[in-house]
């Protein structure tokens, strides 16, 4: 799975994205998240999930993005 994360973030956005990543790890969805450059504006955060949990993970991420108002900062990357 991949997430597209804006490089320029304010402190609150950055903190919330760190919380999201920590939650993905603490819930056991993944063990490690890899970060790579995508372009001048975005990073790509990629991680492996079990095939049976893909939809659950997508729903968790989407819900977190909405709850923390991060729609402009992070999205699921196709």
């Amino acid at each position: 799975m991949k997430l597209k994360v804006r490089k320029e973030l304010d402190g609150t956005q950055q903190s919330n994205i760190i919380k999201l990543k920590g939650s993905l790890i603490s819930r056991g969805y993944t063990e490690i998240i890899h970060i790579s450059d995508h372009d001048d504006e975005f990073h790509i955060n990629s991680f492996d999930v079990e095939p049976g949990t893909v939809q659950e993970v997508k729903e968790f991420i989407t819900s977190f993005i909405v709850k923390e108002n991060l729609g402009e900062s992070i999205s699921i990357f196709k």
Side-chain angles (χ1 to χ4, degrees):
M1 183 167 288
K2 294 180 181 180
L3 300 174
K4 187 175 174 183
V5 182
R6 186 169 297 284
K7 289 182 179 181
E8 297 288 327
L9 301 169
D10 67 29
T12 302
Q13 292 167 325
Q14 188 171 8
S15 176
N16 286 334
I17 288 173
I18 291 169
K19 283 187 220 175
L20 171 59
K21 293 180 196 179
S23 294
L24 291 170
I25 293 169
S26 68
R27 289 174 176 261
Y29 291 137
T30 191
E31 292 183 10
I32 189 166
I33 298 173
H34 304 278
I35 302 170
S36 60
D37 272 336
H38 178 63
D39 56 25
D40 289 341
E41 291 186 54
F42 294 95
H43 291 291
I44 297 297
N45 290 214
S46 58
F47 54 95
D48 295 325
V49 296
E50 295 294 323
T53 65
V54 171
Q55 190 59 38
E56 179 182 343
V57 174
K58 283 182 178 180
E59 288 172 9
F60 174 77
I61 292 169
T62 301
S63 173
F64 192 96
I65 289 170
V66 169
K67 180 179 127 193
E68 299 297 335
N69 197 25
L70 293 172
E72 300 281 321
S73 306
I74 187 169
S75 60
I76 296 173
F77 189 67
K78 309 286 184 214

